[in-house]
Amino acid sequence: MRSYALVGASSRSLAYGLPLSNEYADRARLVGVFDPNPVRAQAVANLCGNPDVFTDFDAMLNTAQPDCVIITTVDRYHAEYIVRALEAGRDVITEKPMAIDAAGCRAILDAERRIGRKITVTFNYRFAPHSSRIRELMQGGIVGEVLSVDFEWFLDTRHGADYFRRWHRKLANSGGLLVHKATHHFDVINWWINQEPEVVYAFGQRRFYGPTREARGERCSTCPHAANCEFFVDYAANPLYKALYFDAEHVDGYHRDSCVFSPEIDIYDTMGVGVRYRDGALLSYSLIAHSSYEGWRATINGTEGRLELEEFQSGSRAAEADHFLNFYNRRGERITYATPKTEGVHGGGDERLMARLFSGQPLPDPLGLMADSWAGAMSVLIGAAANQSISAGRPVTIGELLTP
């Protein structure tokens, strides 16, 4: 029976810890939870079968002896713990993004080559049936040779604002939304079209969040403007958030409900990216974190036609029973494919991902659902190159980021 340890006690760690301690308990064991904050680590352990709690990473490895560690820390620490786990002879499952910058990617790829252990990057969006259906159609050659992709992702002011309350609001913690959030999007585009990025040019601005209004406080729970603020949240009333964050904040001072109009926010909320791929495809990508509704639209243009894709998570179209894919061929015909919406987290992707990770047996993978470190690096490096491009005002090549 394979054993696992969680590295980083967070709400996201529960996506792994709960299945390990429940439906997969006959095939896998959760043997430890590590976090520098012991209150938060204990809160996660309490919900996941009470494995041992550790505040020292090496002590966790030496005492719990996990076969594999699952990285769910703040993004800035992913590379450090991945490399340390590999060097200790453990396999690694890591949340996206694999790292937040090029240096982290290089360190991980180098350690994996040297040591020979396995890294799995958990891109749950690959597992959503709608996304998997697109991959299947693309593998079948529906558009022919891919010429260009247009992709826009719009976060609403419920979901989008939350990245500006949490640790993600600092570029040094998350790489900004072009890394933390867009790594999902860049990965799925790379996966759909089966090409690798070559050159990136980008623009980014913070226009909506940050110090854009005077009526602001330090955090929602103590804000004098709470009664009149449309962004007010009462996360302390949520028992899970209370246990994970509010009851633990006296240890490290981390506030889960910080003000979205704080002047310390330095990540972008409005972004545009252009990418040229090695095989010639061009990508035009945009991401905003302040939309009136949430979802995404994409088109994939090829020598055989045009595939139009969309999905909505909030707003008037979120209640539709199916996702629709429309293909327009060179004869002027429209062919529509409907994918029924599925229950579960991230469009049912989480549940399918966990089944792959913890089933205890190898499963056929004709679509290439399971992502390795190279796929993880390619998605991160588009975002890292975009950040560098915004800062430097020039195109950035993926090759220069892979070379120290």
Side-chain angles (χ1 to χ4, degrees):
M1 182 181 291
R2 194 160 170 80
S3 61
Y4 298 84
L6 296 174
V7 177
S10 60
S11 56
R12 188 60 191 159
S13 72
L14 296 174
Y16 303 87
L18 290 173
L20 276 170
S21 56
N22 290 289
E23 57 260 49
Y24 300 106
D26 61 334
R27 284 160 280 181
R29 286 190 305 134
L30 181 61
V31 295
V33 177
F34 157 73
D35 195 283
N37 188 315
V39 178
R40 192 172 298 127
Q42 190 61 59
V44 168
N46 291 345
L47 294 167
C48 299
N50 289 302
D52 291 337
V53 166
F54 301 88
T55 57
D56 181 278
F57 179 72
D58 294 321
M60 181 273 293
L61 293 179
N62 293 331
T63 303
Q65 290 290 315
D67 299 310
C68 179
V69 300
I70 303 172
I71 310 294
T72 56
T73 64
V74 170
D75 294 350
R76 68 182 295 179
Y77 301 116
H78 284 190
E80 173 190 345
Y81 287 120
I82 290 170
V83 171
R84 289 174 66 182
L86 292 172
E87 290 178 340
R90 269 64 176 198
D91 291 332
V92 174
I93 294 169
T94 183
E95 263 294 299
K96 60 80 192 168
M98 187 177 77
I100 67 167
D101 55 25
C105 288
R106 292 195 302 268
I108 290 167
L109 293 173
D110 175 68
E112 188 179 36
R113 280 192 295 266
R114 285 188 291 107
I115 296 157
R117 304 301 299 188
K118 181 181 178 183
I119 299 173
T120 301
V121 186
T122 55
F123 288 115
N124 50 19
Y125 199 71
R126 292 189 180 198
F127 290 80
H130 182 49
S131 182
S132 297
R133 179 60 168 147
I134 298 165
R135 166 72 168 181
E136 184 178 38
L137 291 170
M138 291 297 295
Q139 274 193 336
I142 188 170
V143 304
E145 181 184 356
V146 177
L147 304 176
S148 68
V149 179
D150 298 289
F151 191 106
E152 60 171 330
W153 195 287
F154 28 95
L155 294 162
D156 64 22
T157 49
R158 180 197 61 82
H159 186 189
D162 211 35
Y163 294 107
F164 296 82
R165 292 189 181 97
R166 298 183 280 169
W167 52 263
H168 311 71
R169 63 207 250 136
K170 297 294 291 179
L171 195 67
N173 286 335
S174 65
L177 293 179
L178 283 170
V179 173
H180 174 82
K181 186 65 180 173
T183 189
H184 265 315
H185 315 153
F186 296 139
D187 172 71
V188 83
I189 294 165
N190 297 347
W191 181 59
W192 286 342
I193 70 174
N194 194 32
Q195 294 191 31
E196 291 186 359
E198 186 176 50
V199 183
V200 177
Y201 198 107
F203 296 94
Q205 301 178 94
R206 191 202 64 215
R207 299 286 303 278
F208 190 84
Y209 302 103
T212 57
R213 67 169 62 171
E214 293 299 322
R216 61 177 185 260
E218 181 185 5
R219 57 187 304 195
C220 284
S221 54
T222 60
C223 184
H225 309 286
N228 300 310
C229 182
E230 71 274 29
F231 290 91
F232 170 76
V233 292
D234 185 11
Y235 283 151
N238 180 313
L240 175 60
Y241 281 12
K242 182 177 183 300
L244 282 177
Y245 302 112
F246 290 83
D247 291 349
E249 65 183 29
H250 67 278
V251 177
D252 55 17
Y254 173 60
H255 295 163
R256 181 60 180 79
D257 62 342
S258 294
C259 180
V260 300
F261 300 107
S262 168
E264 80 165 14
I265 294 169
D266 66 358
I267 66 170
Y268 313 118
D269 56 34
T270 308
M271 294 142 276
V273 181
V275 181
R276 186 179 74 222
Y277 282 82
R278 188 170 300 163
D279 293 339
L282 301 179
L283 166 65
S284 177
Y285 170 85
S286 68
L287 170 62
I288 62 170
H290 43 75
S291 175
S292 301
Y293 60 93
E294 180 152 332
W296 58 270
R297 292 188 181 93
T299 59
I300 304 175
N301 303 292
T303 54
E304 299 300 319
R306 175 182 175 93
L307 188 60
E308 296 186 351
L309 322 161
E310 60 185 13
E311 182 176 315
F312 300 92
Q313 282 90 42
S314 73
S316 60
R317 295 190 58 187
E320 294 174 354
D322 298 319
H323 298 301
F324 294 98
L325 316 174
N326 289 304
F327 176 63
Y328 297 84
N329 64 25
R330 295 296 178 185
R331 296 183 296 277
E333 301 165 325
R334 182 181 73 178
I335 304 168
T336 297
Y337 302 86
T339 306
K341 290 184 178 178
T342 53
E343 297 295 324
V345 182
H346 294 112
D350 272 17
E351 291 78 5
R352 290 165 174 79
L353 169 61
M354 299 309 153
R356 286 264 173 184
L357 289 174
F358 305 133
S359 65
Q361 57 185 354
L363 299 173
D365 191 14
L367 297 180
L369 293 162
M370 299 298 283
D372 60 12
S373 59
W374 187 254
M378 288 300 101
S379 71
V380 167
L381 290 174
I382 296 177
N387 282 332
Q388 188 168 319
S389 175
I390 293 167
S391 177
R394 66 170 179 87
V396 174
T397 68
I398 300 301
E400 69 186 89
L401 298 186
L402 285 169
T403 305

